[in-house]
Amino acid sequence: MPAWWPQRRRWAVWLSCCFFSVLHAHVQNELRAPQQVTVTGNRQTQQISVSWRGSHASAFDVIILRPELNQTAFYVTGLSANESGGRQEWEWTSPEPLECTSLSVQIRSREGAATGAWSAPAVLPGNDVPAKGGFQFYPQDGVMAAGSNGTFCCVLAQGLRLGSIRYGSTLLEATRLSRRSYGVTVTRQPPSTTYGINVVCQDLHKSQVAGTVLFVGYAPLLTDLQCHTEDLVSATCRWKRARNTHLRGKRRTRFTLNHRECPETQFTDTEMESCASQVWEGNWTLEAVNPLGRFVLRDGAQMEHRVRPTPPLELSAEVSAWNATLRWSWEHAAYRSLSLVCQVQLGSGGNGTKRPFAGVGLRSARLLQLHPDRDYRVRVRCGARRNFFEWGNWSRSLSFKTHMDVPEAPDVWMRTDHDNSAHVVWKPLTARQSHGRLTSYQVTWRSPGEMAGGRTESVGPRTRTLPLHPARTDGSTRITATVVAKNAAGASPPATVVIPLGGPDQTVVAESRADATERGFALVWPERADCGYVLEWRDALCWRDCSVEWLRLATGSTEATVASGHFQPGVKYNISLFSCSSKPLRRWHGYVRELAPSGTVPHLSVSQQDSDAALTWGVMPEVGRRGYLLGYNVYLDNDPGVALLANLSGEGSRKYTVKGLSKGTYKFTVKAYTLAGEDVGATASITLRLLADWLILEILTSLGATALFLAMVTFLCYRKRKWVKGAFYPDIPQPKLNDDWSRTQGPLDVRASPNHLVRVVEKPQVDSFKEVLVVIPEEDEDEARQDDGVTTTTTTTTAATTAAHRQRPSSLRRHGTIDSSDSSADSGQMDVFYTGIQTSASSRLSPADVGRPASLAPAHGGGYRPQRQAAPPGEDRRDGEPEASPGGGREASPGGGGYKAQTAWRSDSPGEAEERPTSLGSPGEEERAAPPSLGSPASVASTQFLLPDGEAEQPGREKRPMSVSAAAAAGWFTNLLSSAKA
Amino acid sequence: MADRRSDLTGQPENRRTTLTKAVAIAELLHRESSNLLELYKKRETFIANVISGDSRLVSVPPPSSQLDTRDKLWCLQTAFLQCERLMERAIAKEDEALGIETGEYKILRKMVSDRISYLVGTIGDVIKAMDGPALVTPSFNDSLEPDNLTVFEMKLWVFRVFLEVDHWAKTAEAVLQALPKERVKPTPRLRSTRRSRR
C-alpha cells in the first residue's frame, strides 16, 4: 500500500460525508411542513379546494378532520398535487354539505416512506359554529339523480337535542358530526313527485323544525328531433321526451336550438315539443339542460324535403244536387308555386271517405257523385307533392247540404188476391232514392190498348200499395199501372207494371223445392229472357192481404239468391219467376229454415180389429207443418215410458196397425216429423176386449179337456179294473156251508152256538172306542171249541159294527157270557158281519155265487142277504123272535123274518164314523141314530175278517181302536197292494 | 261585481238577501278552505305535526264582541282582503317553485281564492246596507310576503296561508250568522270604488 493511501482515504470519507450531508440537507428541505395552507369551499358542489406552498415534495398526505369531535372525515396518502403559481393545489368533494360542520385540513410532505411534519390546520368553518345558532338543515332545495345516494345534515339550534330526521315518512338513523350537527344518508333514492320529497328534522321536544325539499329525477333524454318548414322560410323543430325527468318549476329542462333559447312549453308525455327558428339553417342542434345533466340532438335536411303545409283557410263550397266545389286559401303566398297534394275528408251520416286532389298551389277541389238533399261535412289537409314529407294539419271543418233532385222511379210490382182484387205495390224510396222529401205518389192505370188517359190517383208519400178492385178497372182482364214519385224538385220517371185481373194466376208451370241457404233461397233456372226478370215471393199460406216482395234481375240472369229480412223460419214461401209478362216462368216453394210441426195429426182414431189395433189419422194442415213432413212416428205409451212402435216415412202414411195385442188398455201417440223434429203428438186410447168366439173356444176347450180326462180315467179303470174292483168292490167271501143250503128258505136262526161262545172282555178303563175286536181264526176257533168250547172275543165297538153285533155285547154285559146261535156255530163263520145293504144282487155275487141254486137267492125283494141263514132243522125259530138282545124285536124285517143286521149300515165316512160314537149301553138309541146308508156296499167289518190284520194276532198287544173309515182305508190299501202283487 | 250589487238596492227582500248571501258565501268558503287544507295535509304529510294553527299572518285583530256590527264587518273585510293577497302570492310562489299545478288541488286552490274575492265584495254590500262606507282601504304588510324562501319554507308558509284563510272563513261564518238581519237597511244606489289596489 503506498504512503499516500491514508490521505486519499481520508479525502474520500470527507467527500462522502459532504455528499450525504448535502443530500440530507436537501431532503430536509423537501419534507418541510407545507406552509400557507388555505381551504376554500363550494357549497353548491360540496367541493373544497386546498392550496399550500413551501414544499416541493413529490407526494403529500392529506387528512381532513371534523375538529369538534376530532373525527377523520377523509385521509389520503401519497397524492400528487397540481402546482400552479408556486402553490400546490388539491380538491376534494365532501359527501356531506359543507354547511354541516367545520372541516380541518392538514398536509404533510412525503418522499417514499419519509414524511414531513403536518402543516398547521386550515379550517373551513361550517354552519354549526356558535355564530350561527339557528335550526338549520342542508342541503336546501337539493336536486339529486334517481338511484344516487344522498347525505343530509341537521344543525340544531343552540341548546336543542335531536329528536328525529325523516325522509318523507321514513325515519332515518342519524350520525353525529359535531356537537350540534347530525348527518343522515339515503341510498338509491327513487324519483320524487313533482312536489319533491320532504326531509324534516325535529328537535326532541318537537318545538322546532327544520327541513328541506329534495327533488330526485333524471337528466333530460330526448328523441325524434325533426325540423320542417311551413312557410318555406322558417323552420320548426319538434322532438319527443323519451322519459319524464320528474323535475319541474325551477328545475325544469331548458332547451336551446342552435344555441338560441326556446320558450317554455307545456309538456306531456304524449305530445311533441317544438321550437321555432326564423330561418332555415339546414342543420340544427337541440340542447336540453336540467340540474342533473344535458342532452343534445342534431338534425339536418334541405328545405324542399321538409315542407309541411299549413292547413287551408277560409274553406267554402259551391253546392248542387250531385256535386260540390270546395275552395280555400293559403296563409303563405309561397304556396302558389308549390306542387301540393290534398285530401278532402267527406263525411255524411257517420261515414267518411277521403278523396285525393293534386295541383300547383291547389286552392279548390270538385266533389262529384254526391247525393241530393244530403248533409256533408268536409275538411282538407295538404302535403308537398314532390318529396312528400308529411300531411299538414286538417283545416277547420265545413258543412253543407246538396240540393234536391227529382226522385228515382219507384220499383213497382203487382199483387193479386184470391178475391179477384189486384194491387199495385211499390217499394218505398229510400232517402238516397227519393233525392228529397217525397210529397206523394201518383198512380195511373189504364187498359193495355190505351196509349193515354186512364184514371189517376195520388196517394201519400208513406203509401206503398193501391188496390184496384174490379169496379175500378171497368171489368178489364189486364191493366197497365204507372207509378210516379214526386218531391219538391219534380216527379220521378214513371214505373209501369201490367196486372192480370181475375185472381191469382193459375198457370201450370214447373215447380220445385227451393234450396235454402244461410242467406236465403238459392235459385237457378234455365230460361233466358231478354227483358229482365222479376222474382216474387210471398207467404204460401197467406190468403188475403198478403205482403209480397220481389226482386228485379238483369237480363240474362239464370240464378239468384232471394234474401229478405222478413223471412221467418217455419214459414213456407212460394217464389215465382216472371219475365216479360205477368205469367210466371217457374215456381219454387221452400222454407228458409224448417221447424218441428206446431200442430198435431188430426182425427187420430184407433179401432180394434180382432187382437189388433188399427190407427188412422188425417192429413196435417199446412199451417201447422212448418216444414216438409217426412213421416210419422207411432208410439205406445206404457206405464214406464213411451216406446216407438213404428216409423212411417212419407207424408202419405196415415194408418198403422198394431198387431197381436192382448186385452187391456193402450194409449197410442202419433207424431208427425219434419227435418227439424217431431210435433207434440196426438194421442188416442183403446181398451181391447175378448171376442165371443174366444169365449166359445175356451168353453169347448175346457169340455174337451174334461172329456179327455174322463176317457183316460175310464180307460185306466178298465185296464185296472181288477184292481179297482179289488179296491172298491172286493169279493165277498163265500160262506162256508157245512150243511145243505138247498133247503127252502126259512127264517135264519142266529142264535149262538152253544159251543161257540163269545166272551166279551170288559175293559172298564177303556172307553167304548177302545174296545178291540179280536179276530179269531177258524182253526183257533175250532181248537177253542175242542179245548173248552169257549171263545173269548174282545168286542170292538166301531161304527161299522152292525146293530146285531152291537146288541150282543150289550146283552153280554148284562148276562156275562152268551151262547152264539147254533146256526152260526154250524157255519163256523158266524162272526162275519155285514154292514151294508147289497143293493145289487148280481154285482155282489161272487163267481161262486153265480152257480148257486136259485134257492139261495132271497125269497123277497131287497137284494142279497147272505147272513140270512136257514134255520136248521129242529131249530126253527119264528120270524120276529127276538134275539138275545132285548131290543132285538125292532130288527125284525117287515118283509121277511130272519137276520137283518145289514139292513142298517153306516157310512164309511171317517168323519161320520167319528161323529157317531157307538154306545153299547144304549142299543135302542143306536138303532134310532143309525140312518139308512147309501154308501159303499163293502163291509169294512167283513173285510177285516176276510183279511185279518197280522197285528191282531199279536198276543198281549192292545188293539188300536180304529174307525170304520180308517179300517176301510186300510183295507183298500191292502187290497191295492195285493192286487199289485197279483 | 256591478251585477251582483245591483240587486241589493232598494228592496227589503234584497236587504235580507244580502246578508243571507254573505252567510252562505262564508259557509261555502269555510267548507272549501277546509277541503283545501285537508288536501294539502294529505300531500305534505309532515306539515300537520310542524305548524300549529295559532300563528297569524293576517294583521287584523279578531272581531271581538266589544265591536259593533259595522266594525266587525270592517275587520272581516280587511282580513279577507289580506287573505286574498296571501292566496295570490301563495299560488304564484308554488307555481314558481314546483311548476304549474294541475288536478284537483289546482282547481280547489283557485276556487278558494275566487271565493275570498267574492266574499270581500259581499261583505262590502252588507256594510253598505248598514249605511256605512263600502270601501275599506286595506293596509298590506309586506312582511307577510317573505322573499328568498327555500321550497321547504315556502311549503310551510303556504300552509300557514291556508290556515289563515280557513280561520277567517270560520270567523266570518260565525260573525255573519250572528248578525241580526233586521239591521240591514236598504243600500243607496252608489257605485263602489273599492279595491283600487289592483
Side-chain angles (χ1 to χ4, degrees):
Chain A
M1 178 174 292
W4 51 268
W5 173 247
Q7 187 176 0
R8 283 188 175 178
R9 185 178 180 187
R10 216 176 294 124
W11 272 102
V13 170
W14 181 83
L15 285 174
S16 298
C17 289
C18 289
F19 174 76
F20 284 111
S21 65
V22 170
L23 184 62
H24 177 72
H26 176 73
V27 168
Q28 286 295 320
N29 182 47
E30 292 298 321
L31 295 182
R32 282 190 309 173
Q35 305 295 315
Q36 300 178 11
V37 177
T38 60
V39 180
T40 58
N42 184 339
R43 292 185 170 177
Q44 291 295 324
T45 60
Q46 298 181 187
Q47 278 188 334
I48 61 173
S49 298
V50 184
S51 65
W52 64 94
R53 68 170 63 228
S55 174
H56 300 283
S58 60
F60 300 91
D61 294 345
V62 178
I63 186 168
I64 301 175
L65 300 172
R66 299 187 187 104
E68 243 183 81
L69 301 179
N70 201 25
Q71 292 174 336
T72 301
F74 181 75
Y75 172 73
V76 64
T77 181
L79 66 85
S80 298
N82 299 324
E83 183 172 356
S84 174
R87 294 183 68 87
Q88 306 289 333
E89 293 179 348
W90 175 75
E91 290 184 343
W92 175 68
T93 301
S94 169
E96 297 100 15
L98 299 181
E99 297 92 338
C100 292
T101 185
S102 301
L103 295 175
S104 167
V105 180
Q106 288 180 285
I107 304 168
R108 69 180 178 188
S109 303
R110 172 177 289 276
E111 288 292 344
T115 58
W118 287 106
S119 66
V123 177
L124 179 68
N127 283 3
D128 57 345
V129 294
K132 297 183 178 179
F135 203 172
Q136 307 157 62
F137 199 91
Y138 299 101
Q140 282 296 327
D141 302 342
V143 181
M144 296 183 180
S148 66
N149 300 336
T151 300
F152 314 91
C153 66
C154 176
V155 181
L156 295 170
Q158 293 283 0
L160 293 182
R161 295 175 61 191
L162 179 66
S164 63
I165 300 176
R166 290 181 182 274
Y167 182 91
S169 59
T170 306
L171 181 65
L172 301 176
E173 187 175 352
T175 303
R176 192 165 194 173
L177 303 177
S178 68
R179 187 174 54 83
R180 290 172 50 203
S181 182
Y182 293 86
V184 290
T185 300
V186 179
T187 58
R188 301 172 62 85
Q189 299 176 95
S192 61
T193 65
T194 54
Y195 315 116
I197 299 171
N198 301 313
V199 188
V200 182
C201 177
Q202 277 189 303
D203 71 313
L204 190 60
H205 302 292
K206 297 184 178 178
S207 60
Q208 293 189 37
V209 65
T212 186
V213 179
L214 179 68
F215 296 91
V216 183
Y218 298 96
L221 184 64
L222 311 178
T223 184
D224 295 344
L225 173 67
Q226 226 172 27
C227 298
H228 65 269
T229 181
E230 292 180 346
D231 56 3
L232 306 180
V233 176
S234 64
T236 300
C237 295
R238 298 181 300 171
W239 64 89
K240 286 182 180 175
R241 298 198 189 197
R243 70 180 173 199
N244 183 5
T245 61
H246 295 270
L247 302 178
R248 291 169 56 187
K250 293 177 179 176
R251 295 155 296 280
R252 71 180 184 276
T253 303
R254 301 171 194 276
F255 299 94
T256 58
L257 182 65
N258 284 355
H259 308 292
R260 291 185 294 272
E261 189 171 349
C262 296
E264 183 180 1
T265 58
Q266 290 289 324
F267 169 72
T268 61
D269 284 341
T270 57
E271 290 180 357
M272 302 281 286
E273 289 185 294
S274 64
C275 186
S277 173
Q278 294 299 317
V279 294
W280 185 267
E281 297 170 284
N283 292 300
W284 295 271
T285 299
L286 177 72
E287 183 177 16
V289 179
N290 74 4
L292 294 177
R294 62 188 288 268
F295 191 85
V296 175
L297 276 178
R298 291 184 174 84
D299 185 36
Q302 296 180 358
M303 188 173 65
E304 54 268 26
H305 292 172
R306 295 289 179 89
V307 177
R308 186 176 187 272
T310 55
L313 303 175
E314 300 170 349
L315 204 61
S316 63
E318 291 178 16
V319 182
S320 66
W322 297 92
N323 306 309
T325 301
L326 284 181
R327 300 187 191 282
W328 61 86
S329 62
W330 292 109
E331 181 181 359
H332 306 292
Y335 288 3
R336 290 176 183 274
S337 58
L338 181 65
S339 181
L340 294 168
V341 57
C342 295
Q343 277 186 335
V344 177
Q345 188 180 48
L346 185 68
S348 177
N351 299 321
T353 58
K354 289 175 182 170
R355 299 186 183 188
F357 300 89
V360 176
L362 196 64
R363 297 166 62 95
S364 65
R366 183 164 177 77
L367 302 173
L368 305 176
Q369 297 177 343
L370 303 181
H371 291 282
D373 195 42
R374 182 175 291 191
D375 292 313
Y376 288 95
R377 187 177 182 86
V378 294
R379 59 179 184 171
V380 184
R381 67 177 181 181
C382 297
R385 192 176 183 186
R386 296 171 59 190
N387 304 313
F388 181 85
F389 172 57
E390 63 182 30
W391 290 109
N393 290 337
W394 285 106
S395 68
R396 297 180 65 178
S397 294
L398 172 71
S399 297
F400 62 85
K401 185 173 186 177
T402 51
H403 298 160
M404 293 177 67
D405 196 6
V406 295
E408 292 182 10
D411 189 354
V412 181
W413 190 237
M414 50 83 185
R415 191 188 82 210
T416 54
D417 286 341
H418 290 79
D419 60 353
N420 296 339
S421 64
H423 293 74
V424 184
V425 293
W426 58 90
K427 292 180 180 177
L429 292 180
T430 62
R432 174 170 292 208
Q433 293 170 326
S434 61
H435 302 163
R437 191 173 66 84
L438 291 179
T439 55
S440 66
Y441 287 99
Q442 181 177 297
V443 183
T444 303
W445 64 95
R446 66 176 73 90
S447 298
E450 297 180 51
M451 299 303 294
R455 302 174 65 179
T456 300
E457 184 171 335
S458 289
V459 295
R462 297 180 182 278
T463 306
R464 305 285 176 262
T465 180
L466 182 71
L468 298 175
H469 300 297
R472 305 175 71 182
T473 55
D474 301 328
S476 300
T477 56
R478 286 158 57 91
I479 59 170
T480 300
T482 302
V483 181
V484 170
K486 290 184 175 180
N487 65 9
S492 70
T496 303
V497 62
V498 177
I499 306 174
L501 302 177
D505 182 59
Q506 302 297 330
T507 306
V508 176
V509 295
E511 184 165 356
S512 59
R513 187 182 291 188
D515 295 329
T517 65
E518 291 182 355
R519 296 190 302 156
F521 294 107
L523 306 174
V524 178
W525 59 91
E527 294 86 355
R528 288 182 176 273
D530 54 1
C531 50
Y533 299 92
V534 172
L535 268 173
E536 173 210 279
W537 63 92
R538 62 177 74 192
D539 187 343
L541 303 181
C542 181
W543 192 253
R544 185 179 174 81
D545 293 335
C546 309
S547 65
V548 61
E549 293 182 87
W550 67 94
L551 174 68
R552 291 192 182 276
L553 300 172
T555 301
S557 301
T558 56
E559 62 180 14
T561 298
V562 175
S564 170
H566 299 124
F567 279 148
Q568 298 289 328
V571 175
K572 189 177 184 181
Y573 292 95
N574 284 338
I575 307 169
S576 302
L577 176 68
F578 297 88
S579 178
C580 305
S581 73
S582 56
K583 291 188 180 300
L585 295 176
R586 180 174 288 270
R587 285 201 177 101
W588 294 269
H589 55 80
Y591 296 85
V592 288
R593 185 159 61 89
E594 294 188 47
L595 299 177
S598 61
T600 58
V601 294
H603 314 307
L604 175 64
S605 64
V606 57
S607 60
Q608 179 175 1
Q609 295 179 354
D610 296 335
S611 60
D612 302 339
L615 295 163
T616 59
W617 56 90
V619 180
M620 178 176 256
E622 285 279 355
V623 176
R625 294 189 179 189
R626 305 204 298 175
Y628 292 108
L629 286 189
L630 299 179
Y632 303 89
N633 285 331
V634 182
Y635 296 93
L636 172 61
D637 291 356
N638 292 324
D639 276 344
V642 178
L644 175 66
L645 292 179
N647 169 248
L648 309 176
S649 61
E651 179 190 345
S653 304
R654 286 195 291 276
K655 62 183 179 181
Y656 180 71
T657 301
V658 186
K659 297 181 179 297
L661 297 173
S662 57
K663 69 175 184 178
T665 299
Y666 296 91
K667 186 178 176 183
F668 299 99
T669 301
V670 177
K671 297 182 178 180
Y673 63 91
T674 66
L675 199 62
E678 298 175 324
D679 65 20
V680 295
T683 302
S685 299
I686 188 173
T687 300
L688 292 184
R689 302 180 186 282
L690 280 181
L691 299 173
D693 296 346
W694 271 101
L695 187 60
I696 294 171
L697 186 62
E698 284 186 357
I699 294 171
L700 290 177
T701 304
S702 302
L703 290 175
T706 306
L708 181 62
F709 175 72
L710 291 176
M712 290 179 64
V713 170
T714 305
F715 177 74
L716 284 174
C717 288
Y718 175 75
R719 290 291 304 266
K720 296 288 184 181
R721 59 186 178 277
K722 291 183 179 178
W723 173 79
V724 170
K725 182 177 181 298
F728 295 102
Y729 301 97
D731 290 337
I732 299 172
Q734 185 178 11
K736 290 182 179 180
L737 300 177
N738 296 329
D739 295 328
D740 182 13
W741 285 67
S742 61
R743 61 185 172 180
T744 57
Q745 184 75 24
L748 181 62
D749 186 4
V750 295
R751 287 180 301 175
S753 173
N755 298 330
H756 207 150
L757 297 177
V758 176
R759 187 172 58 206
V760 176
V761 180
E762 291 286 340
K763 293 183 177 179
Q765 70 279 11
V766 180
D767 61 14
S768 59
F769 287 95
K770 295 181 180 178
E771 291 177 352
V772 178
L773 181 63
V774 178
V775 179
I776 303 170
E778 289 181 355
E779 293 79 7
D780 295 341
E781 195 176 345
D782 292 341
E783 288 174 1
R785 195 182 300 128
Q786 291 171 0
D787 292 340
D788 54 9
V790 177
T791 300
T792 302
T793 303
T794 302
T795 305
T796 302
T797 58
T798 66
T801 307
T802 63
H805 183 71
R806 285 192 295 265
Q807 287 169 359
R808 209 174 280 141
S810 60
S811 64
L812 285 174
R813 274 197 290 276
R814 287 194 298 268
H815 304 293
T817 303
I818 62 172
D819 295 336
S820 61
S821 72
D822 293 339
S823 58
S824 298
D826 290 344
S827 67
Q829 297 290 334
M830 56 83 61
D831 285 329
V832 174
F833 297 94
Y834 294 92
T835 58
I837 298 174
Q838 303 296 326
T839 55
S840 175
S842 61
S843 63
R844 287 164 200 157
L845 287 176
S846 65
D849 293 336
V850 175
R852 275 186 173 178
S855 59
L856 288 176
H860 308 285
Y864 175 59
R865 288 181 175 80
Q867 284 81 12
R868 196 165 193 177
Q869 298 176 359
E875 290 187 18
D876 288 346
R877 294 179 67 178
R878 290 174 297 167
D879 290 342
E881 184 178 341
E883 292 180 348
S885 170
R890 290 184 185 177
E891 298 176 354
S893 172
Y899 177 60
K900 295 179 183 177
Q902 279 75 23
T903 55
W905 64 292
R906 294 184 173 228
S907 167
D908 55 2
S909 168
E912 274 187 49
E914 290 175 0
E915 289 172 2
R916 293 177 185 275
T918 303
S919 174
L920 294 177
S922 180
E925 290 177 16
E926 202 172 49
E927 287 282 327
R928 285 191 299 271
S933 174
L934 296 176
S936 172
S939 170
V940 175
S942 66
T943 303
Q944 289 290 347
F945 281 99
L946 292 174
L947 296 172
D949 190 358
E951 291 182 358
E953 297 182 1
Q954 293 179 2
R957 182 170 182 179
E958 187 179 2
K959 280 290 190 179
R960 188 172 63 88
M962 183 180 293
S963 65
V964 174
S965 60
W972 180 86
F973 185 70
T974 307
N975 289 336
L976 177 63
L977 294 178
S978 59
S979 172
K981 290 176 182 175
Chain B
M1 189 66 74
D3 294 340
R4 191 180 66 216
R5 288 163 184 271
S6 62
D7 60 352
L8 301 175
T9 56
Q11 302 303 321
E13 189 65 25
N14 288 342
R15 281 174 277 170
R16 205 163 21 252
T17 304
T18 304
L19 184 57
T20 305
K21 183 188 290 184
V23 172
I25 294 170
E27 289 173 350
L28 200 56
L29 176 62
H30 185 208
R31 191 157 56 244
E32 289 168 350
S33 63
S34 298
N35 291 341
L36 182 62
L37 268 178
E38 290 304 313
L39 205 59
Y40 199 75
K41 286 178 184 175
K42 189 184 295 183
R43 198 182 84 177
E44 310 292 350
T45 53
F46 76 98
I47 217 152
N49 303 324
V50 170
I51 293 180
S52 61
D54 54 358
S55 60
R56 298 270 73 88
L57 292 176
V58 174
S59 58
V60 176
S64 67
S65 57
Q66 283 76 26
L67 298 175
D68 62 5
T69 301
R70 186 176 303 167
D71 291 339
K72 287 179 184 173
L73 290 174
W74 281 339
C75 285
L76 286 179
Q77 194 180 31
T78 305
F80 277 113
L81 281 170
Q82 291 190 22
C83 286
E84 187 180 19
R85 169 86 175 178
L86 288 171
M87 277 298 294
E88 289 172 355
R89 295 297 302 153
I91 291 171
K93 283 183 177 292
E94 268 201 314
D95 288 348
E96 181 186 1
L98 303 175
I100 304 299
E101 285 289 342
T102 57
E104 182 187 1
Y105 175 74
K106 176 185 178 181
I107 295 170
L108 194 54
R109 197 178 60 176
K110 180 73 165 52
M111 194 180 294
V112 169
S113 179
D114 293 345
R115 194 79 63 196
I116 292 170
S117 300
Y118 197 62
L119 183 58
V120 167
T122 306
I123 291 173
D125 291 339
V126 175
I127 294 171
K128 282 191 289 184
M130 299 176 68
D131 293 336
L135 180 62
V136 172
T137 303
S139 61
F140 295 109
N141 186 354
D142 288 342
S143 64
L144 294 178
E145 302 175 31
D147 292 328
N148 301 322
L149 294 177
T150 64
V151 178
F152 187 78
E153 291 166 341
M154 184 271 296
K155 284 185 176 181
L156 294 177
W157 183 78
V158 168
F159 185 65
R160 291 177 64 190
V161 170
F162 291 167
L163 281 175
E164 199 71 42
V165 171
D166 186 62
H167 165 76
W168 282 105
K170 184 178 179 182
T171 304
E173 182 183 359
V175 169
L176 293 173
Q177 282 178 343
L179 285 182
K181 292 184 173 56
E182 61 275 13
R183 292 288 305 276
V184 181
K185 296 180 179 177
T187 50
R189 185 182 292 272
L190 63 89
R191 188 76 179 172
S192 173
T193 56
R194 60 177 281 275
R195 304 212 310 171
S196 57
R197 57 184 172 77
R198 293 183 180 179

